[in-house]
Amino acid sequence: MSSHEVFEHAFEVIQKIEEAGGEAYIVGGAVRDYLSGRPVNDIDIATSETPERIQEIFDKVIPVGIEHGTVIVRHRSVSYEVTTYRVEEGYEDYRHPDEVTFVQDITLDLARRDFTTNAIAMSRDGRLIDPYHGHDAIRNKKIEAVGEPSERFHEDPLRMMRAVRFASQLSFKIEKRTEEALNHLSPLLQHISIERIAVEMEKIFGGSDYALGLQLLQSTGLKNHLPILKDLDINRNVPYSPLFGWHEIIAFYAVQYPQLSPENFMKSWKLSKDTKKKTVQLLHAYKIYERKKNVTSWLVYQLDNELFPSFSRLFSALDEGDMNLDKALTDMKDQLPIQNKKELSFQARDLLQLYTHLPKGPWISEWMDTIEHCVVTGEIENDYEKIKEWVRGWNPPASN
Ligand code: ATP
Ligand code: MG
């Protein structure tokens, strides 16, 4: 596809800025992905205009980081991050530049970017501004720092993780001088917050060449600064396929290292509650599979449909087979007698009616669990009368 087809609507945003007397270009990942023939996701735009001017030019603008020069422009229901050309100075604390200065020249803005592949700007007529020969780097499949690699890694050590992340996603090699700097400076990673590292790490596992990514983590020494992972043999136990998200990653290692505590893992990487919930569910389902050596109806019943793709990927990452498990799980779930507890024809209140003389206690939920399990596995039909008769045959719980 031509740049005009891919970027048609983004070019309209640029045109509007130009008509107001400003300059604007598509920059960063969108240009890189377009030039390397990959699908383009978020489109970032760099402009000579201040955030205040952008707010005047467009009707729908969301201020997300005005002090850094960034706003989101909504155009035809799509969001564009529009950032004023800027330079960054003084990375004293290894975290944020001490100062952001707006400038008037796109080439100065490109100079602050991490890798040459990410430092290309595209104008509205498809022309490239490419002072660091990023297009050549894309053709040669190279990740290469803009400027002096060690300086750039000193400024922001997260860039070292980003180098490995792009190698994994694009299947590019890291250019020699950049890799040498990485090998020397990997200990600087200790200055970076675990949350920022976690974002890149997740992308390394999701890249098409994740095995290259894992190998680079080892060879550069970055691995030594990754909690938990540093103690695992991540280059022997390589997944057979990419993993999308921390819950899949943690489940993958937890299955292979029984002594590994998923709770510890999540704590040391400061992962979210949502990740925790998904990890626990995924591992629970996998344990059922391991016990039964089969994908049972109980397993499918217990697993949220939302996690079917994750279960499927975990399965294939562990080389347990590469069938289209996702679809099979959905079909299995559709055919279950019930989808959840609420659909049981016989509820706790029905149980209590049978045993009005007995005190309430844990036996109620235990019995209900048994009923639920047997209905799901097909041992008893989901029919009020049938379940009632069946339960009547059970030994009543000892009353006390
Ligand atoms: P993705 O497709 O994952 O979004 P991306 O290249 O767009 O990849 P972002 O993190 O969205 O990556 O950053 C957008 C652009 O900002 C990058 O292409 C790069 O030019 C610049 N950039 C981002 N992070 C840094 C950094 N730590 N140091 C220097 N430049 C950076
Ligand atoms: Mg991006």
Side-chain angles (χ1 to χ4, degrees):
M1 279 215 282
S2 75
S3 61
H4 284 272
E5 288 168 286
V6 178
F7 294 128
E8 187 187 355
H9 296 161
F11 287 162
E12 290 171 359
V13 174
I14 293 178
Q15 184 173 6
K16 228 169 153 192
I17 297 174
E18 288 177 354
E19 283 167 2
E23 245 182 52
Y25 296 90
I26 298 177
V27 286
V31 180
R32 176 197 67 223
D33 290 341
Y34 168 72
L35 294 175
S36 49
R38 292 159 48 88
V40 168
N41 299 316
D42 302 339
I43 299 179
D44 295 337
I45 293 174
T47 181
S48 57
E49 302 307 289
T50 61
E52 292 75 21
R53 276 291 290 144
I54 298 298
Q55 282 175 309
E56 286 164 17
I57 297 170
F58 294 93
D59 297 337
K60 286 187 216 148
V61 180
I62 309 162
V64 284
I66 299 238
E67 52 315 339
H68 305 112
T70 303
V71 295
I72 285 178
V73 169
R74 297 276 299 166
H75 174 67
R76 296 185 189 256
S77 308
V78 172
S79 293
Y80 298 88
E81 224 176 70
V82 179
T83 305
T84 309
Y85 302 158
R86 59 173 208 218
V87 290
E88 295 161 354
E89 277 148 10
Y91 289 83
E92 296 298 312
D93 58 359
Y94 289 115
R95 243 173 268 132
H96 298 290
D98 296 342
E99 221 174 289
V100 169
T101 312
F102 295 152
V103 293
Q104 281 299 309
D105 183 353
I106 179 71
T107 55
L108 293 176
D109 180 87
L110 295 175
R112 73 168 166 92
R113 295 174 182 272
D114 47 6
F115 303 107
T116 61
T117 49
N118 298 348
I120 311 171
M122 183 187 273
S123 69
R124 188 162 70 81
D125 52 12
R127 187 173 45 92
L128 300 183
I129 302 193
D130 183 15
Y132 303 102
H133 310 288
H135 199 182
D136 285 340
I138 291 171
R139 290 195 192 94
N140 299 327
K141 297 183 179 289
K142 283 275 159 68
I143 300 296
E144 182 177 21
V146 169
E148 177 53 40
S150 42
E151 241 171 68
R152 305 312 308 283
F153 292 153
H154 267 288
E155 282 173 2
D156 179 2
L158 184 74
R159 290 173 185 154
M160 299 188 289
M161 286 299 288
R162 286 174 59 87
V164 175
R165 184 259 272 205
F166 289 121
S168 166
Q169 288 182 323
L170 303 163
S171 202
F172 282 17
K173 277 207 166 63
I174 300 181
E175 177 271 336
K176 191 162 169 280
R177 283 179 58 248
T178 301
E179 187 166 6
E180 279 167 9
L182 244 168
N183 294 340
H184 280 110
L185 300 177
S186 55
L188 291 179
L189 196 63
Q190 64 192 298
H191 300 290
I192 297 300
S193 78
I194 194 65
E195 290 93 335
R196 293 180 79 202
I197 298 175
V199 172
E200 300 302 325
M201 198 61 226
E202 201 171 25
K203 292 181 180 176
I204 291 173
F205 276 102
S208 57
D209 209 345
Y210 58 89
L212 169 65
L214 294 177
Q215 183 242 307
L216 281 166
L217 289 176
Q218 177 96 41
S219 63
T220 55
L222 285 170
K223 186 193 157 194
N224 301 329
H225 305 280
L226 305 175
I228 313 284
L229 292 173
K230 69 176 190 285
D231 303 319
L232 307 179
D233 196 349
I234 59 172
N235 288 287
R236 177 123 29 115
N237 284 307
V238 182
Y240 279 83
S241 50
L243 293 162
F244 297 160
W246 276 106
H247 57 296
E248 297 178 17
I249 299 166
I250 298 172
F252 174 79
Y253 288 114
V255 165
Q256 301 187 74
Y257 293 89
Q259 73 279 21
L260 184 136
S261 149
E263 287 73 28
N264 256 349
F265 205 129
M266 292 184 275
K267 218 165 138 194
S268 23
W269 282 84
K270 297 201 182 150
L271 301 173
S272 68
K273 282 209 174 96
D274 182 57
T275 297
K276 193 166 182 180
K277 219 176 80 192
K278 288 178 177 165
T279 308
V280 167
Q281 234 204 87
L282 199 54
L283 271 171
H284 175 68
Y286 196 81
K287 291 207 173 109
I288 300 180
Y289 167 76
E290 271 188 326
R291 251 197 327 271
K292 302 280 180 191
K293 290 275 161 259
N294 206 350
V295 178
T296 62
S297 39
W298 186 243
L299 183 163
V300 176
Y301 176 77
Q302 298 250 294
L303 193 60
D304 269 353
N305 292 42
E306 160 192 294
L307 286 174
F308 286 175
S310 287
F311 189 81
S312 191
R313 276 191 292 270
L314 177 63
F315 222 63
S316 112
L318 289 163
D319 198 27
E320 290 285 342
D322 58 358
M323 51 175 160
N324 189 353
L325 195 59
D326 196 357
K327 166 95 174 54
L329 292 169
T330 310
D331 291 347
M332 267 179 90
K333 187 123 178 185
D334 285 346
Q335 282 163 23
L336 290 178
I338 57 168
Q339 299 293 317
N340 55 57
K341 267 192 219 284
K342 284 191 211 120
E343 289 179 19
L344 277 178
S345 325
F346 192 89
Q347 294 287 341
R349 59 175 180 274
D350 304 313
L351 190 57
L352 285 168
Q353 266 173 20
L354 281 185
Y355 295 98
T356 41
H357 57 291
L358 284 179
K360 291 182 183 166
W363 66 273
I364 302 171
S365 60
E366 283 161 21
W367 283 35
M368 287 310 300
D369 287 349
T370 306
I371 295 170
E372 185 186 11
H373 187 270
C374 291
V375 167
V376 170
T377 56
E379 283 163 63
I380 179 92
E381 207 178 309
N382 187 28
D383 176 276
Y384 174 82
E385 289 299 334
K386 286 191 177 145
I387 297 175
K388 189 173 157 186
E389 280 318 302
W390 181 55
V391 169
R392 272 207 174 118
W394 297 2
N395 286 330
S399 60
N400 46 11

